[in-house]
Amino acid sequence: MNTEIIAPQLEALGNARRLDLYRHLVRAGAAGLPVGSLQERLNIPASTLSHHLKRLVSTGLVTQERQSTVLICRAHYPAMNALVGFLTDECCADEGRCDTRESAA
Amino acid sequence: MNTEIIAPQLEALGNARRLDLYRHLVRAGAAGLPVGSLQERLNIPASTLSHHLKRLVSTGLVTQERQSTVLICRAHYPAMNALVGFLTDECCADEGRCDTRESAA
DNA sequence: CCATTATTTCGAAAAAAATCGAAATAATGG
DNA sequence: CCATTATTTCGATTTTTTTCGAAATAATGG
């Protein structure tokens, strides 16, 4: 898992609107949420939402599945797990939840 | 730990150059690295580096300590640990390293 | 105080991102 | 095929970010 995958994912989540959006999907769980529901909840124009969704989808953090008329969006946990794994393995040290390396060359 | 702290941190790390920079600091461990050393390693203009460093420092992910002429930069692990904690607690679900909630709220 | 090394601020230009209305495309039911 | 609902693409504007040279500031030793 290299930085060329990780950095865009961090950037995707590093926007208040998209982080909020992503968290709505996490809370929605396996059922996911249709784009339209997200739009109501976030209360933003459809075209703006579509733009942000595209960024999340393009980094692999969100998946979409069409169910007839509606597009269901879901948080894609494997991507998030890999992201957390990267941060834990390669960006943490010392105290706390992360591992305890001190200066892995 | 709310999104007003987390989103800027994710944004700070969501830039290939800054992620690289941050990882250099992680690898440097507790000793940290002077700005000048970072500049040599990353091979970018001082003013550009200063700009990126400022962003990392302003989000709390990096600290700086002056040692006479030189400014030592260090990864600030408590911030990273809190960030990983946030992602684990509020952005993960199902399988993998993260916790196993299914549809909190 | 001056020279030197280290780092930041300033200012300006280029690149990228965010915003959103209007028009276009998708999918369905009738 | 048409009407309807759902979502995206287009196009234009504004805002933010990135970039970097030149000048300014900081800290030290002499």
Side-chain angles (χ1 to χ4, degrees):
Chain A
M1 188 60 60
N2 57 32
T3 56
E4 282 161 34
I5 291 175
I6 294 295
Q9 290 180 335
L10 290 168
E11 188 186 32
L13 294 172
N15 170 283
R17 220 158 231 191
R18 286 192 297 264
L19 184 55
D20 194 26
L21 163 44
Y22 182 81
R23 295 221 296 154
H24 270 82
L25 294 181
V26 169
R27 279 181 255 124
L33 281 174
V35 174
S37 289
L38 281 167
Q39 199 201 331
E40 283 173 19
R41 284 159 206 247
L42 299 173
N43 199 35
I44 56 176
S47 56
T48 302
L49 173 59
S50 185
H51 162 74
H52 287 305
L53 270 173
K54 191 157 62 172
R55 296 198 56 154
L56 285 166
V57 169
S58 77
T59 62
L61 285 165
V62 166
T63 57
Q64 291 179 316
E65 177 198 358
R66 187 167 277 281
Q67 280 182 5
S68 77
T69 318
V70 157
L71 239 198
I72 306 290
C73 306
R74 294 191 182 86
H76 186 57
Y77 300 119
M80 175 55 77
N81 291 334
L83 177 56
V84 169
F86 175 91
L87 292 178
T88 301
D89 294 345
E90 308 215 26
C91 294
C92 287
D94 295 345
E95 63 222 291
R97 292 184 203 235
C98 304
D99 69 43
T100 328
R101 82 184 56 183
E102 265 141 48
S103 61
Chain B
M1 189 62 58
N2 56 31
T3 56
E4 282 163 32
I5 292 174
I6 295 295
Q9 290 180 334
L10 290 168
E11 188 186 29
L13 293 172
N15 171 284
R17 220 159 231 191
R18 286 192 296 266
L19 184 56
D20 194 28
L21 163 44
Y22 182 81
R23 296 220 297 155
H24 271 83
L25 294 181
V26 169
R27 280 181 253 126
L33 282 175
V35 174
S37 288
L38 280 168
Q39 199 200 331
E40 285 172 17
R41 285 161 206 244
L42 299 174
N43 198 35
I44 56 176
S47 57
T48 301
L49 173 58
S50 185
H51 162 74
H52 287 305
L53 270 173
K54 192 158 60 172
R55 296 198 55 154
L56 286 166
V57 169
S58 76
T59 63
L61 285 164
V62 166
T63 58
Q64 293 179 315
E65 177 197 0
R66 188 166 277 281
Q67 280 182 6
S68 78
T69 319
V70 157
L71 240 198
I72 306 290
C73 306
R74 294 191 183 86
H76 186 56
Y77 301 118
M80 176 54 78
N81 291 334
L83 178 56
V84 169
F86 174 90
L87 293 177
T88 302
D89 294 344
E90 308 215 26
C91 293
C92 288
D94 295 344
E95 62 221 292
R97 295 182 201 233
C98 304
D99 70 44
T100 327
R101 85 185 54 187
E102 264 141 48
S103 60

